[in-house]
Amino acid sequence: MASIFTQIIEKKIPGFFVYEDSDHVAILDKYPIDHGHTLVIPKKPYEMLTEMPKKEIGELFSLIPVIATAVKKATGADAFSIAQNNGKAAKQIIPHVHVHIIPRYSSKGTVWTKRNIPKDSELRELSEKIKVCF
């Protein structure tokens, strides 16, 4: 069964894209830990990082600084955290490899567990703001 990420990648359900190339997408997290929380996802549906060829892992992680820079610029974040979970015991919710880029703000502190539920209109506006920062 295809994950929700596969459905978003195939544009069967909406996603708030900030980046796309032939092998990857970056979308805003629908339930962000902080403003601008972005997921970088390979289009191939690997469940865990250990299933990916080294070359594809390198390609995925080479996008992180590029996308994080655009996210920071668009959001005014002071810093960012990166997270990548593998398997249920590691709290991987969606069984499709993805890397979290979580903007961090000096004024807010760093929280890992609090999630917001922004309106689709807010996510759409933010995704457009990030896209122009590449």
Side-chain angles (χ1 to χ4, degrees):
M1 184 174 144
S3 76
I4 191 168
F5 289 161
T6 301
Q7 294 174 46
I8 292 170
I9 290 164
E10 294 174 352
K11 298 181 174 70
K12 292 180 179 175
I13 61 173
F16 299 95
F17 288 75
V18 299
Y19 174 89
E20 183 171 11
D21 65 26
S22 60
D23 298 313
H24 309 89
V25 299
I27 61 173
L28 292 175
D29 194 302
K30 184 91 168 158
Y31 307 101
I33 290 173
D34 218 329
H35 181 68
H37 182 168
T38 300
L39 307 174
V40 184
I41 309 166
K43 288 183 176 179
K44 289 183 184 174
Y46 299 107
E47 184 171 337
M48 296 175 64
L49 198 64
T50 51
E51 298 170 355
M52 294 178 69
K54 287 181 191 178
K55 182 178 184 253
E56 291 181 34
I57 294 169
E59 291 167 355
L60 172 66
F61 277 87
S62 72
L63 292 172
I64 302 305
V66 175
I67 295 167
T69 298
V71 169
K72 278 184 62 190
K73 186 176 179 182
T75 62
D78 301 301
F80 62 94
S81 297
I82 296 172
Q84 203 282 316
N85 305 315
N86 290 274
K88 288 182 181 182
K91 304 297 184 206
Q92 181 182 13
I93 297 168
I94 300 187
H96 188 132
V97 169
H98 56 288
V99 180
H100 298 260
I101 298 174
I102 306 164
R104 298 302 189 172
Y105 305 88
S106 297
S107 62
K108 293 182 178 182
T110 302
V111 178
W112 283 97
T113 56
K114 184 181 175 219
R115 298 266 182 166
N116 295 317
I117 304 176
K119 295 176 184 173
D120 283 359
S121 60
E122 295 171 305
L123 292 170
R124 189 173 302 105
E125 181 180 328
L126 180 56
S127 69
E128 294 303 319
K129 190 173 180 184
I130 293 170
K131 284 180 197 177
V132 300
C133 291
F134 282 97

